[in-house]
Amino acid sequence: MGLIIFLILGILSVFTAIAVVVEKRPVYSALYFIANLVVLSLIYLTLHSEFLAVVQVLIYAGAVMVLFLFVIMMMPPVVENRFGKMSFQKFLIMPLLLIFLFELVYVLSCGLYASAGKSPSSLSFENFGGIVSLGQLLFKRYLVPFEITSLILLVAIIGAVYLRRSEQ
Amino acid sequence: MPKEVFIIWLVAKIILILLVFIGLLLTIAFLIYAERKLIAFMQSRIGPNRVGPIGLLQPFADITKLFLKEDLTPAGADRFLFILAPCISVFTAFMAFAIIPFGRDLIIHNVRIPLQITNLNVGVLYLLAIFAINVYGIVLAGWSSNSKYSFFGGMRSCAQMISYELPLGLSMVGVLLLSHSLSLRSIVAAQSRHWFILMQFPAFIVFLISSIAETNRAPFDFPEAETELVAGYHTEYSSFKFAMFFMAEYASMITFSALAVTLFFGGWLGPSFFPPFIWFLLKVAAMLFFFIWLRATYPRLRYDKLMMFQWKVLLPFSLIWILITGAMII
């Protein structure tokens, strides 16, 4: 049962991810991206991390992509000749893709090697993926990185506001 | 879980879902009637009184009329998104109601059946995610109609709803801090001694203002401001697609009322001379009356003032209120 659900969701996520790139109309491209995010959040749900699933929809689909769509809707419905000016992209993409694939295989094999001896239950702890355990980790073990991240985000927000003002 | 228990549970759940769905549809129908009648009373008019006794069958006449009207699609519209947009609106409006608890657990043949479609441990965040998806329905409707009025309506509502999602989420934080849980069931249970509105009155005011802005109701109905935008994002919609937007608006009004009752007014809890379910209905009806009352009382604000109010008053205020609540608990 779990495998069938994963297969359906996996095929859907790959399909929507390819459609984002292949689609010619920008609004549909953005919508496929949103569909991809929703499918990913469903995969998180099957892995019992409800918090991550909901936050994925809330932050990415609900906040980030709405602003993307907001800008895209100002453009003409079909953008012609997208690859006209930056033709060097075609030559750059192959080596970059190879490096990325190599990284992916390396990380996955490392993860598989590390978890090979352990049973799944020893990897998870009680209430895995729930808000309580996540909060404990964020505010106890990873407190300093968490606070530094929030500081960087604050700097980014103030920077964005400043740049917008100085343009006027 | 033994087999018979599972079957009883499953059948009860399916019946519950059907009852909630039909109940919501009927409530929407009569809410529209009640709104027209109440506003008529407030403006010294009679209101609908032709169809059925005191106009009670008016909603069914309206539905039949909307079904039989011609379904128009404007030239140059994006057909797929034009159909998808009202579907998203209705879908999310109904989905949000799924986690509202509306009564004490029923016990049938020793099987405990909670009167709530599903109890999520991330309940409040789920609601916020659904409200975030709801924005797409209106924005896509505005864009796909290929009309200037629709486009402006869609853009306005996009900005308005995204802005007001922030204070909406922040106003719930105080309640979450007090109840130590995100699940709506536990939030109701935590109010067995006193309602959270006693300690969270400022948060309730913020919640109320943002929920009116989120549902696009008067006095914040800029997306469909008829004096400047014809009918905003649904200008080009007709027939049943228009009815779907209409349904979505009233369904989300009901959901926000139920949410306000659950978070601040103790949900289905109440003195025992009424059953819990009746208490829940009475409280939701009172909230809905308040929504309608507001529409009849206040004129529409100016759009830039609304946005200024959110970013410069409501947001800092709700952040400070979270600090105060945190200090009170510690």
Side-chain angles (χ1 to χ4, degrees):
Chain A
M1 190 65 190
L3 186 70
I4 296 169
I5 292 173
F6 175 74
L7 273 178
I8 295 170
L9 291 177
I11 290 166
L12 268 178
S13 70
V14 171
F15 169 74
T16 47
I18 292 172
V20 174
V21 187
V22 174
E23 180 62 59
K24 287 268 189 309
R25 295 161 293 182
V27 169
Y28 278 84
S29 224
L31 287 177
Y32 276 121
F33 192 22
I34 296 158
N36 189 25
L37 291 169
V38 172
V39 172
L40 272 188
S41 89
L42 289 178
I43 293 179
Y44 290 149
L45 267 188
T46 59
L47 298 172
H48 292 283
S49 47
E50 290 93 350
F51 179 73
L52 198 60
V54 170
V55 165
Q56 164 102 353
V57 174
L58 183 60
I59 305 289
Y60 284 103
V64 178
M65 283 315 291
V66 170
L67 296 179
F68 268 63
L69 207 64
F70 203 94
V71 176
I72 288 171
M73 281 179 176
M74 306 286 185
M75 302 195 330
V78 178
V79 179
E80 302 282 332
N81 200 7
R82 285 208 291 187
F83 306 107
K85 279 177 185 167
M86 295 166 86
S87 54
F88 64 90
Q89 278 181 327
K90 279 182 200 166
F91 302 103
L92 207 58
I93 193 71
M94 283 320 277
L96 282 177
L97 199 67
L98 277 177
I99 293 169
F100 177 70
L101 266 180
F102 176 73
E103 272 181 359
L104 203 65
V105 170
Y106 178 72
V107 169
L108 278 179
S109 59
C110 275
L112 284 179
Y113 181 71
S115 64
K118 297 171 188 166
S119 64
S121 61
S122 73
L123 286 172
S124 60
F125 40 92
E126 190 157 328
N127 216 345
F128 172 74
I131 41 163
V132 177
S133 55
L134 200 78
Q136 295 276 358
L137 280 178
L138 274 185
F139 287 99
K140 279 187 178 155
R141 198 198 283 182
Y142 300 112
L143 180 65
V144 178
F146 181 66
E147 292 297 330
I148 290 173
T149 313
S150 67
L151 205 68
I152 292 170
L153 283 174
L154 192 66
V155 169
I157 293 170
I158 294 169
V161 171
Y162 175 75
L163 286 176
R164 184 74 196 85
R165 282 181 78 88
S166 58
E167 262 176 30
Q168 285 174 347
Chain B
M1 207 187 277
K3 204 173 179 186
E4 305 97 67
V5 173
F6 179 72
I7 288 169
I8 293 175
W9 179 84
L10 191 68
V11 170
K13 274 283 170 191
I14 291 168
I15 292 172
L16 191 68
I17 290 169
L18 282 177
L19 281 181
V20 168
F21 185 66
I22 294 164
L24 261 180
L25 283 179
L26 280 177
T27 317
I28 291 166
F30 283 103
L31 183 60
I32 294 167
Y33 168 77
E35 176 165 31
R36 291 176 67 180
K37 208 73 180 168
L38 274 171
I39 288 185
F41 273 125
M42 288 175 188
Q43 297 170 341
S44 324
R45 292 185 285 118
I46 297 169
N49 66 342
R50 296 285 145 164
V51 192
I54 57 163
L56 263 175
L57 295 176
Q58 184 69 41
F60 300 105
D62 285 342
I63 293 166
T64 321
K65 182 196 77 178
L66 281 169
F67 254 124
L68 297 176
K69 282 211 165 182
E70 189 187 353
D71 192 8
L72 295 165
T73 308
D78 190 312
R79 278 179 178 277
F80 176 68
L81 294 184
F82 193 70
I83 297 168
L84 184 73
C87 297
I88 293 178
S89 276
V90 169
F91 183 67
T92 51
F94 278 90
M95 243 176 106
F97 200 83
I99 64 162
I100 305 282
F102 46 84
R104 189 171 277 129
D105 293 0
L106 281 181
I107 292 175
I108 304 167
H109 291 284
N110 290 326
V111 184
R112 183 178 282 270
I113 292 147
L115 280 184
Q116 178 187 23
I117 291 177
T118 180
N119 183 33
L120 293 177
N121 58 6
V122 287
V124 172
L125 285 175
Y126 163 84
L127 277 178
L128 287 175
I130 295 288
F131 297 148
I133 295 290
N134 189 21
V135 179
Y136 287 110
I138 290 170
V139 174
L140 289 178
W143 183 78
S144 65
S145 301
N146 191 31
S147 142
K148 287 191 181 71
Y149 293 122
S150 304
F151 189 68
F152 277 122
M155 286 291 144
R156 269 192 186 186
S157 81
C158 182
Q160 175 183 330
M161 287 167 90
I162 293 171
S163 305
Y164 274 85
E165 255 163 38
L166 293 171
L168 183 76
L170 291 176
S171 67
M172 297 178 189
V173 173
V175 171
L176 304 183
L177 285 174
L178 287 176
S179 64
H180 301 286
S181 173
L182 282 175
S183 136
L184 291 182
R185 256 161 81 81
S186 328
I187 289 172
V188 171
Q191 297 179 73
S192 55
R193 281 174 61 204
H194 41 66
W195 294 352
F196 282 153
I197 190 169
L198 296 176
M199 288 110 87
Q200 292 288 322
F201 187 71
F204 173 67
I205 297 296
V206 174
F207 177 86
L208 201 64
I209 293 171
S210 356
S211 61
I212 298 161
E214 280 285 301
T215 45
N216 296 324
R217 294 276 307 172
F220 298 156
D221 55 344
F222 302 98
E224 42 193 295
E226 61 265 22
T227 42
E228 35 192 312
L229 289 178
V230 189
Y233 61 90
H234 55 56
T235 306
E236 303 294 339
Y237 279 87
S238 58
S239 182
F240 200 64
K241 291 198 207 99
F242 171 74
M244 280 166 88
F245 275 122
F246 214 64
M247 266 162 63
E249 183 188 326
Y250 283 86
S252 48
M253 213 168 121
I254 295 167
T255 309
F256 271 103
S257 303
L259 188 62
V261 165
T262 311
L263 291 177
F264 295 100
F265 293 96
W268 42 264
L269 296 167
S272 60
F273 51 86
F274 284 136
F277 180 61
I278 302 294
W279 272 115
F280 178 78
L281 283 187
L282 282 175
K283 288 174 185 174
V284 172
M287 277 302 296
L288 287 172
F289 174 75
F290 188 76
F291 266 87
I292 294 166
W293 189 16
L294 269 182
R295 182 182 163 187
T297 312
Y298 284 103
R300 189 176 300 124
L301 293 166
R302 236 172 62 194
Y303 180 66
D304 57 325
K305 294 240 166 139
L306 175 89
M307 298 299 275
M308 292 276 248
F309 177 67
Q310 194 285 121
W311 290 103
K312 293 190 175 165
V313 180
L314 220 53
L315 191 64
F317 176 76
S318 38
L319 283 173
I320 292 168
W321 180 249
I322 289 173
L323 269 182
I324 296 172
T325 313
M328 280 197 310
I329 289 171
I330 292 169

